[in-house]
Amino acid sequence: MEQECPHAGGPMSDAQIDIEDSSYIASCPWHAYDFNLDTGASSYGVKACVFPIRSRNGKLYLELEADHEVTLESMEPISEKVKYKHGSRAATNDTVSSRPSDDASVCEWCAYILNTADPESKIELTTRLFSLFATREQTAEPMPIGAGTASPPSIPPRHDDLQTVKPWEIPSAGRGGTLKSRIAMLHALANIEQWAIDLALDICVRFAGFHTKATESQDNDGLALPRTYFYDWLKVANDEAKHFSLLRSRLEELGSYFGALPVHHGLWQSAEMTNDDLRARISIIALVHEARGLDVNPVTIDRFRKAKDLDSVDTLEVIHRDEITHVTTGHRWLSWICAQEGTDPVEVFRKNVMKHFRGAVKGPFNADARQQAGMDGSYYENLAGSMPVRGGDVIAGG
């Protein structure tokens, strides 16, 4: 399809791809306008140009009408694949016999993975779950969601050999000028990514039975979450598993390993305050913490580039590109809920931040990346939470 979204010029090369009613749907990363890849039609009333593709002898051909002229603008690299670690330790509850079957529900799978302490098992199971769900969406027997069939843990377990401290007790990682500093920065990011896997799975199982609030004009009791909601968040979990694997591999290449330094679970603690409200969970985790990652990632990447650690730069750039789509996912689903309930997503977001966040939402902001994800300044400018601030509460990325 065409590169620019016909709505506002967003980059469709970064579109989220979903499956709805056996059709592939591309959602613009800026404002989540959806387009059927077969017809170009959008539920918003606009239409994108789409062109048929044919595969012949291992090559792809774009079929155009005789009067069309096209030029190749660029070729983008495919995002890195998950780097599995062979021979990793298996958690005591993670044996082949005890794993959920392929016929188990999404909620059963999510709860099982959340209770898996070993990070290598966690990433293998997470990628397996996403693959199962995505594959079966294209069949007559999609994976059951299973709302109510399983419950998430109060806090996902971690290996006993991880030293866990309070967020404000983590030593400063420095500015990346030394190998020790860069290892500390990568280790901190790997810890965040592991919690981000859990949060993406938790938002599936914890809120599987969510219904929107019915408005006066509706004849129902509110809408259940569509299957694309679960696809989107399982895709986020799959990405976070990839991110953890890339960071863990890079740590080992630098002579360290995940677990060499203390970790904290501040990101999960932040999520616990929103366990009863999906709107609040999306607002705080996806649109505050994850969006903050968009602000700080370029600075971190620049520090590694100045240190000539280009392999780490490659890893961090993969993560940054993916995280823009994660914020987009949060924006998309908060907007969807608000559209069903007749509310303003900006107002809902700001109210939730004021209720559930500690301190100010601080800049400097990466306005371009936030705009790509659908968040303009009306979301985050001049915004602060009412909860008292504690040391170490500000957490970026995911």
Side-chain angles (χ1 to χ4, degrees):
M1 68 183 304
E2 60 181 313
Q3 156 68 11
E4 294 186 356
C5 175
H7 166 235
M12 294 306 294
S13 58
D14 295 329
Q16 174 81 36
I17 307 299
D18 301 311
I19 303 171
E20 296 181 5
D21 299 327
S22 300
S23 296
Y24 286 94
I25 306 296
S27 297
C28 177
W30 282 11
H31 305 105
Y33 272 55
D34 58 325
F35 298 92
N36 185 301
L37 289 179
D38 291 325
T39 65
S42 170
S43 62
Y44 291 90
V46 295
K47 189 172 183 178
C49 295
V50 293
F51 307 95
I53 296 289
R54 298 288 181 266
S55 175
R56 301 191 190 104
N57 300 321
K59 295 182 179 180
L60 292 176
Y61 293 86
L62 176 67
E63 296 189 352
L64 302 172
E65 300 293 337
D67 58 347
H68 275 94
E69 292 186 7
V70 296
T71 58
L72 178 64
E73 292 289 336
S74 65
M75 296 185 67
E76 299 293 338
I78 297 175
S79 187
E80 292 284 345
K81 295 182 179 180
V82 175
K83 290 189 175 181
Y84 297 106
K85 184 175 182 180
H86 299 292
S88 63
R89 298 169 299 176
T92 56
N93 71 329
D94 183 27
T95 61
V96 173
S97 61
S98 66
R99 292 185 183 188
S101 71
D102 289 357
D103 294 325
S105 69
V106 170
C107 288
E108 289 172 313
W109 268 91
C110 288
Y112 181 85
I113 301 171
L114 283 164
N115 281 296
T116 298
D118 178 55
E120 303 305 326
S121 296
K122 187 182 291 286
I123 64 174
E124 291 177 17
L125 291 165
T126 299
T127 56
R128 173 63 177 165
L129 169 57
F130 177 66
S131 176
L132 278 173
F133 187 89
T135 300
R136 289 183 58 180
E137 283 298 278
Q138 305 174 56
T139 71
E141 296 183 356
M143 199 171 187
I145 301 301
T149 60
S151 299
S154 58
I155 181 170
R158 293 293 186 261
H159 267 304
D160 293 337
D161 55 4
L162 277 180
Q163 181 188 357
T164 302
V165 300
K166 302 295 184 183
W168 51 89
E169 295 174 344
I170 296 288
S172 172
R175 301 177 63 84
T178 65
L179 176 60
K180 179 180 178 180
S181 174
R182 294 195 298 278
I183 286 174
M185 294 169 74
L186 293 174
H187 195 280
L189 290 172
N191 179 56
I192 290 174
E193 296 296 347
Q194 187 177 8
W195 285 110
I197 300 170
D198 289 327
L199 287 168
L201 297 171
D202 185 80
I203 205 171
C204 290
V205 61
R206 186 177 301 277
F207 299 102
F210 174 89
H211 282 71
T212 60
K213 295 178 181 177
T215 64
E216 294 181 358
S217 61
Q218 293 174 335
D219 296 329
N220 54 42
D221 295 327
L223 297 179
L225 293 167
R227 295 186 64 84
T228 47
Y229 168 91
F230 298 94
Y231 179 94
D232 282 358
W233 290 109
L234 293 178
K235 173 63 167 60
V236 171
N238 188 78
D239 286 347
E240 308 293 17
K242 175 183 69 178
H243 298 169
F244 176 85
S245 76
L246 295 175
L247 291 165
R248 182 258 295 132
S249 295
R250 187 63 192 138
L251 284 169
E252 293 171 353
E253 291 166 357
L254 293 174
S256 187
Y257 61 94
F258 181 69
L261 299 172
V263 298
H264 65 81
H265 53 259
L267 189 57
W268 186 267
Q269 290 174 324
S270 182
E272 287 178 322
M273 295 181 288
T274 62
N275 279 348
D276 298 325
D277 187 346
L278 178 56
R279 304 163 199 81
R281 172 62 65 86
I282 294 174
S283 296
I284 299 302
I285 297 303
L287 302 184
V288 173
H289 288 307
E290 189 104 35
R292 182 58 181 158
L294 304 186
D295 303 331
V296 302
N297 285 342
V299 177
T300 303
I301 291 170
D302 186 58
R303 289 176 178 175
F304 277 78
R305 183 175 284 112
K306 288 180 178 178
K308 299 186 180 344
D309 187 347
L310 300 185
D311 288 334
S312 294
V313 167
D314 290 343
T315 292
L316 295 172
E317 287 182 337
V318 168
I319 293 172
H320 181 63
R321 288 194 298 268
D322 287 345
E323 287 182 352
I324 293 176
T325 70
H326 298 176
V327 179
T328 300
T329 296
H331 178 268
R332 175 185 182 183
W333 287 108
L334 182 63
S335 298
W336 181 86
I337 293 170
C338 292
Q340 313 313 311
E341 298 179 340
T343 55
D344 181 353
V346 175
E347 291 182 4
V348 171
F349 168 75
R350 293 180 72 90
K351 286 180 180 178
N352 277 306
V353 172
M354 287 186 281
K355 180 179 180 181
H356 296 287
F357 192 66
R358 300 181 188 274
V361 177
K362 298 179 180 179
F365 301 110
N366 186 344
D368 289 342
R370 285 171 174 258
Q371 183 68 49
Q372 289 182 46
M375 297 181 70
D376 60 26
S378 64
Y379 277 87
Y380 52 84
E381 291 175 351
N382 302 314
L383 179 61
S386 60
M387 299 183 67
V389 178
R390 302 176 306 192
D393 273 324
V394 177
I395 303 164

